[in-house]
Amino acid sequence: MLIACWHLFIAFFKASNLSFGGGAAMIPLIQAEVVDNYHWMTNAQFADMIAVANALPGPIATKIAAYMGYQIASWPGVITAMTATILPTVLILIMLGKVLAKYSQSETLRAALKGVRPVVAALLLYVAYSMGIEAFLITQTMDYVTFIIAIGAALALYFFKVHPVLLIILSMAIGYIIF
């Protein structure tokens, strides 16, 4: 259990420290650790976990950390993974809060942040692509239905600004009925 908690701490500490742009930006880094590095779950299971985490209230990174921690090492795993996810931000805010406030209007800082944004977008696109591939491969016999659900959700988000939580709940109901 101690080794499992150590691995959880390292995985979520790395994801938290190396991500930029909030919880959603952590998803590709968490996926790299959970799926690729430690093999705790498959891409399909990761996609399911993200879907459930998005349906629940609160920050996605802590929900993922709690879920993975519990799956790997029960309640000690939850505490370990959530601490590793939250600790870097808390320490940075405490230690660098005044410095960040002082230089928040700096053109150099703004330029650096502008350079990071496309990478964050690319990471999110990569996760969306890999999760999308898994979604369509899992349901080979009903690819057209999965495709229609995906297109419908994209259209609802883009044109009608339907809240993502509503889309997740509706798609779960549709999935339950159809599949």
Side-chain angles (χ1 to χ4, degrees):
M1 168 110 59
L2 188 58
I3 292 174
C5 284
W6 175 249
H7 287 285
L8 279 165
F9 186 85
I10 294 299
F12 282 92
F13 191 81
K14 282 176 18 182
S16 183
N17 269 319
L18 300 176
S19 67
F20 181 84
M26 283 179 65
I27 293 172
L29 299 171
I30 294 171
Q31 181 186 29
E33 293 297 320
V34 167
V35 175
D36 302 331
N37 189 17
Y38 290 104
H39 308 287
W40 287 326
M41 61 176 36
T42 65
N43 270 324
Q45 292 168 323
F46 188 81
D48 290 343
M49 178 182 61
I50 296 298
V52 171
N54 274 318
L56 299 171
I60 192 161
T62 54
K63 291 181 284 189
I64 294 170
Y67 178 84
M68 285 308 306
Y70 191 79
Q71 292 300 311
I72 303 304
S74 189
W75 286 104
V78 171
I79 294 166
T80 301
M82 288 189 67
T83 300
T85 302
I86 297 166
L87 186 63
T89 303
V90 170
L91 292 177
I92 289 170
L93 286 174
I94 290 170
M95 293 186 295
L96 299 176
K98 288 186 179 186
V99 174
L100 291 174
K102 181 178 178 181
Y103 293 104
S104 66
Q105 301 301 320
S106 163
E107 289 300 320
T108 304
L109 181 59
R110 286 183 187 200
L113 297 179
K114 189 173 182 177
V116 170
R117 287 185 192 124
V119 174
V120 171
L123 289 170
L124 292 172
L125 283 172
Y126 173 76
V127 168
Y129 172 77
S130 63
M131 288 172 56
I133 293 297
E134 287 292 326
F136 291 105
L137 290 177
I138 289 170
T139 59
Q140 291 175 1
T141 58
M142 300 196 69
D143 277 345
Y144 65 95
V145 175
T146 306
F147 185 73
I148 290 169
I149 292 171
I151 294 298
L155 293 173
L157 281 169
Y158 187 76
F159 289 111
F160 303 107
K161 309 297 184 221
V162 175
H163 198 281
V165 171
L166 181 60
L167 285 176
I168 290 167
I169 292 169
L170 286 172
S171 65
M172 288 173 75
I174 291 169
Y176 178 76
I177 292 166
I178 294 175
F179 298 113

